[in-house]
Amino acid sequence: AKDAPEAAPSTDGAAGNQMSGARALGVGFVVAGGVAGVVLAFRVSVPWLLDTQADMIAEMVRKFGGDGGKFWGLPTEPALVSQFTRHLGTYFALTCSNMWILAAGPRCVSRPSLVTWAVLLNTYGQRCLFHRPGHERPFHGIDLMTIGMAAYCLGLTQRRTIGKYVMRYWFVVLFALALIWPLGWHGRIDVNPPDDIAMRIRFSVFEGAFIVLWLVTGERLVQAEIFSEDRMHFLSHWALVVFLIHKAVHIVVPAPWNWVVLFGLVPMGFVLARLHTAAGARQSESAV
């Protein structure tokens, strides 16, 4: 019998790899090009347009902002409008470019969970590159919410694997992050961010790392036995109440009595926990 002829080498795999590479390149071009366009528009075009209305903007700030406008860094004089609009363009550039990634990314990739990583890289990449004064805090809150919503809706690629090794080698992670933090630095970085780019990169990487750590290990940091065995349900109710009123208490009640008031609400946490448990039991009985 004759030997079977050797099969010709298949080119399907190579062609598939080429198509995948071309698709990935196209996706990167679309997403990155859109981000670059948004950043360019808000950092150049929008400030230029607003600068032409500097007198009107300053007048509106003085009229409607009052003394509170100065606290938030709003321009009360026409000469301050140019700097403010550049900062405002920086804030909108990051927020809107994240929206572009979330709008275009899931339509371009087969694994939407990769889009969350793109949002994280875009957020902290721009925070490293561009200085953002203290009055950007409302925009920072929006950006953090965007990251959280993206992780919740789209997922985060390799979250379980990364979380497993972070929990296993947590001491290495904390040691590495401790090396990033500048020795002796203290104060409110969100209120008085540093102008130096090296320090800005340090703090941005530090914050971004903790955001990622929370996303990949958040559910493993809280043990269910806190509630099932230790019966600490009251902590949830007490913490919620304190979170809502602590600022008002610190303003109205002088120290150290402000802390006495806050910790004095612990019995109320017990009461709320009991009421919540009783309501749940009644609901279960009625359902049966």
Side-chain angles (χ1 to χ4, degrees):
K2 294 182 179 181
D3 294 334
E6 294 184 1
S10 175
T11 59
D12 292 344
N17 291 335
Q18 291 179 356
M19 292 180 62
S20 299
R23 177 179 173 80
L25 184 63
V27 169
F29 179 79
V30 170
V31 176
V35 169
V38 170
V39 172
L40 185 64
F42 279 100
R43 283 187 54 83
V44 178
S45 303
V46 173
W48 178 77
L49 291 173
L50 293 178
D51 286 348
T52 61
Q53 306 295 327
D55 294 333
M56 183 185 69
I57 293 174
E59 178 63 26
M60 291 179 62
V61 170
R62 288 194 298 267
K63 182 177 180 180
F64 298 105
D67 295 335
K70 296 181 180 180
F71 174 81
W72 290 104
L74 299 179
T76 56
E77 300 295 335
L80 302 175
V81 171
S82 178
Q83 183 182 24
F84 176 77
T85 54
R86 287 199 303 272
H87 289 155
L88 199 64
T90 300
Y91 310 154
F92 275 106
L94 173 53
T95 301
C96 293
S97 60
N98 278 340
M99 298 301 174
W100 164 256
I101 293 174
L102 290 175
R107 292 174 171 81
C108 298
V109 296
S110 57
R111 300 177 66 184
S113 56
L114 289 170
V115 175
T116 306
W117 285 113
V119 172
L120 282 164
L121 291 175
N122 180 60
T123 298
Y124 288 98
Q126 290 196 42
R127 292 186 70 84
C128 288
L129 291 175
F130 307 123
H131 174 64
R132 301 165 71 93
H135 52 68
E136 66 94 28
R137 283 179 291 169
F139 290 89
H140 190 30
I142 295 174
D143 297 333
L144 291 177
M145 185 195 70
T146 302
I147 293 173
M149 292 294 291
Y152 177 80
C153 297
L154 303 177
L156 191 65
T157 302
Q158 299 298 325
R159 182 186 68 87
R160 291 183 181 274
T161 302
I162 298 173
K164 179 179 70 174
Y165 288 106
V166 166
M167 294 299 295
R168 186 175 298 174
Y169 298 102
W170 59 268
F171 47 91
V172 177
V173 175
L174 293 182
F175 179 77
L177 291 176
L179 295 178
I180 298 176
W181 187 267
L183 295 177
W185 188 278
H186 63 279
R188 290 285 302 272
I189 301 171
D190 59 331
V191 177
N192 299 304
D195 294 333
D196 181 63
I197 186 171
M199 298 295 287
R200 186 165 70 244
I201 291 175
R202 281 192 176 200
F203 291 132
S204 297
V205 170
F206 195 86
E207 179 186 313
F210 270 99
I211 293 294
V212 172
L213 292 179
W214 175 253
L215 292 177
V216 300
T217 63
E219 79 282 3
R220 307 185 192 191
L221 295 176
V222 179
Q223 300 295 316
E225 290 77 11
I226 294 176
F227 304 103
S228 61
E229 296 182 7
D230 301 336
R231 306 295 183 184
M232 302 292 284
H233 301 82
F234 76 93
L235 279 179
S236 297
H237 300 274
W238 174 75
L240 177 60
V241 173
V242 170
F243 171 75
L244 294 174
I245 69 171
H246 75 280
K247 185 64 176 179
V249 171
H250 288 315
I251 293 174
V252 175
V253 183
W257 301 108
N258 51 344
W259 297 106
V260 174
V261 171
L262 293 177
F263 284 101
L265 296 174
V266 170
M268 186 178 68
F270 279 104
V271 174
L272 292 175
R274 289 292 184 89
L275 293 175
H276 185 266
T277 303
R282 287 195 300 269
Q283 186 176 5
S284 300
E285 292 176 358
S286 61
V288 174

